[in-house]
Amino acid sequence: MLSLLFALLVTALVAVGNAHAAMVSRIEVTGNQRVDADAIRNYLPIKPGKEFSGNDIDDAVKALFGMGLFSDVEINQVGSALVVNVSEYKVVNQVLFQGNKKLKDAQLAMGVQLKPRGVFSQAALDADVEAVKTAYRKIGRDDATVTSQIMDLGENRVNVVFNINEGDRTQITAINFVGNSAYSGRRLSDVITTRRTSYLSFLLRDDVYDEDKLRADQELLRRFYYSHGYADFQVVSAVGELDETTNKYTITITVQEGERYRFGDVSVDSTIPGVDGQALGSVVETRKGDIYNAKNVEDTIIALTEHVAGVGYPFAQVTPRGARNFDDHTISVVYTIDQGTKAYIERIEIRGNERTRDYIVRREFDVSEGDAFNQVLIQRAKKRLEALDYFEKVDISAVPGSEPDQVVVVVDLVEKASGEFSIGAGYSTGATPGPTVEGSVTERNFLGRGQFIKLSASGGTTSQNYNLSFTEPYFLGRRLAAGFDIYRSTSDFTNYTATSTGATVRLGVPITNGLSTQLAYNIEQEEYGYSDTCDTTDDPASPDVDCDVSQAIRQGVAEGAWIKSSVSAGLVYNSVDDMKNPHEGLYASATAEVAGLGGDAKFFKFTTRATVYQTLSDQMDLVGLVSAGAGHIEGYGGDGLRVFDHFQGNDKMIRGFAYGGIGPVDSDGAGDHLGGTTYFNASAEAQFPLPVIPESFGLRGAVFADAATLYGSEVDPALVDASTTGMQWRASVGLSLMWASPFGPIRIDYAMPVKKEASDDVQEFNFGLATRF
């Protein structure tokens, strides 16, 4: 009996062993058409002549699926052979788009997974259909429909066709703010990037409803309120509701503003031996009594972090701790400096930059691989990358590295178009009035290298201008902006013509975040002649006898081609919050130029101008500005200045007067203004939104008052009316209409002189494509 039981047990164990272990002499592959059989065999963990189990077969199936080439895999043992039967994915021959007009094939192809010569899968096709719909939602076509079609070409190849019905363009009929009292809905509409539909929306495309964009707008609102004292501000909700009958969205943003705070006591506390917090007061950019400003807190954190790192503590961490006083509405801030956790950057991984080269992104970081990890410096790099305007989205995250003290910095980017082509027409009231046509091609990220290049041309009945500009923002691998400008301009004045051909080589050097300097070498050739109305002979240097032109101008024309070779140095300080729609800040510039490094011109010239912006009423969105400027030029070397080297009156000096319409006048009765060697000017202005007109139109109004004087002359005294060379002041008051148009800022001024001289030329209307910085 025992022997029988033992025999049964041995038989069972042998059967179990046979069930879990087997051996084959060969591996047969069937069903493959494109993939080589040997490549499939090499992927298998099962080899002829070696035992394998059921688990090995499962692993083999997973390995073959992992190749991403097969839709089905079966593995069976048939006698002494292991039979592997595979079904290959079909190969995509072409990806076609039909019915699309608003988005080009190339734009859609970038967003889909299926590619020519790639494998086809139903899952990828379903995802691509949604990707195409998303692309249309981003251009405001939420009701676009997309269907897919598979065309079997035989030999396991297919064409994938996306049939698109683009539908109608959705619009944003209203953007409503609820809960706001400190700022009007109109002012808050200026803060966000989403706009109501207007007659310019077909150009600007800023009225597209996008949930990601709306989330970004909420962050813009938070930053705006936090920077104006409202530390308790929050966005309660932001909802877009689509009326399917009209295909229009209504966006409602509900906010809770809270109270407005000022800074209370501000101090620095250091736990690091050797770092005296009290001695760092000069680094702090927040002051007791000032309106609470989160941006100033951020700037202080960065300044303290950099200062402490500079004295040998690269891992220092600065943490602001605020204490609200609800009775007097103040926030006391203590900046605590701790040693921080020691961590190093293992690598910086950049993703999503298909066009922009890696080094363009890396150079915006003040840290690199192997450096101490500092979150403050990482956030500064994020702001710099956003400021480049190459990317729609910049996300920077930190993930654990290969060691506990290692961190991998991951930079995720979404690129956007960086090239622009513009063409427009207008009317100029400047030095050469008349209708103009202008066109330009601009690339901010040339060849993905971060370089700026612009080619522009403009012309009209009285002037032609051509310009080529190039800037390398990181010259020699440093934060030095080097570039050049090449230009040629021709202008027809009343009695004479002027042609200037020149070039400038420049180098910009940042000093602080707001202060920079620029050095330049300038070379220019000027040629003057008489206009057709003043010279009907064949001698360009001799006008008609009855041509009413000043003797000073005749002398300037007679000198022929004039070469100016000069060097210049300038300083620019800019703390303006928004250069397109300024509300706060100071913009100031000063330039000194010395001519005489060869060439014909010999002079010293100095100019300066400063403009201060201040919000006068948050609720009314009323902005005030005060500006002042001055300039002086003086010849040396005994030759003095030509008449063409003098300053000429213009609309940036004072409005209400014609170009070259103020200052010293000739003494020979021609009545030409000869310009001056010195000027001072000042202006005060209040800007406001226009009532009734939607803010999305970009129109604003202004009232202003200007004052200026232009005096002094180095022209031959016998040719200048001495009574006009003194320091006579002019003044004007007026109204302005400003339009942030798709073609650039357009401004129309109507100015009425209230103090002028008898010799001045008045021009009440002024029209131009320019800002007044």
Side-chain angles (χ1 to χ4, degrees), residues 33-34 89-93 150-159:
Q33 298 181 28
R34 294 177 291 105
Y89 279 124
K90 297 182 183 296
V91 176
V92 177
N93 180 60
I150 308 302
M151 301 175 62
D152 196 333
L153 305 178
E155 298 181 354
N156 218 29
R157 296 181 306 122
V158 296
N159 281 346

Side-chain angles (χ1 to χ4, degrees), residues 233 291 368 394 658 685 724:
F233 171 82
I291 298 295
S368 58
V394 178
E685 182 171 300
T724 64

Side-chain angles (χ1 to χ4, degrees), residues 404-543:
D405 63 345
Q406 299 290 313
V407 173
V408 176
V409 177
V410 180
V411 184
D412 286 306
L413 305 169
V414 178
E415 292 183 312
K416 67 179 180 180
S418 58
E420 297 175 359
F421 171 76
S422 66
I423 186 169
Y427 187 89
S428 173
T429 58
T432 54
T436 61
V437 177
E438 181 177 0
S440 66
V441 178
T442 305
E443 175 55 64
R444 302 189 308 276
N445 188 14
F446 183 60
L447 298 178
R449 298 175 181 270
Q451 298 163 334
F452 174 91
I453 187 168
K454 180 177 181 179
L455 177 64
S456 62
S458 63
T461 56
T462 57
S463 65
Q464 295 81 42
N465 300 282
Y466 307 93
N467 188 282
L468 172 64
S469 295
F470 175 83
T471 302
E472 167 55 67
Y474 274 76
F475 184 58
L476 299 178
R478 299 183 178 274
R479 208 164 274 141
L480 305 173
F484 64 84
D485 305 287
I486 302 173
Y487 59 89
R488 180 179 175 83
S489 65
T490 302
S491 302
D492 294 337
F493 297 93
T494 303
N495 293 317
Y496 66 94
T497 63
T499 300
S500 299
T501 304
T504 296
V505 179
R506 46 190 162 72
L507 179 68
V509 183
I511 300 174
T512 66
N513 286 337
L515 182 65
S516 63
T517 183
Q518 179 169 289
L519 308 175
Y521 171 73
N522 316 282
I523 182 74
E524 181 179 26
Q525 177 179 280
E526 300 176 2
E527 297 179 274
Y528 294 88
Y530 294 105
S531 63
D532 293 339
T533 59
C534 195
D535 180 17
T536 58
T537 69
D538 294 332
D539 183 4
S542 178

Side-chain angles (χ1 to χ4, degrees), residues 136-137 139-144 166-174 197 207-209 241-250:
Y136 274 96
R137 280 196 292 270
I139 64 169
R141 293 182 176 268
D142 292 45
D143 59 347
E166 295 183 321
D168 295 325
R169 190 170 181 271
T170 56
Q171 298 180 343
I172 298 178
T173 188
T197 301
D207 65 334
V208 175
Y209 176 77
E241 297 180 354
L242 177 64
D243 185 342
E244 296 183 356
T245 60
T246 61
N247 208 30
K248 294 181 179 180
Y249 275 99
T250 298

Side-chain angles (χ1 to χ4, degrees), residues 8 58 94 149 188 207 225 340 374 426 679 696:
L8 291 174
D58 291 341
Q94 286 183 299
Q149 180 182 354
L188 297 181
D207 65 334
Y225 271 95
N374 189 304
Y679 73 87
S696 57

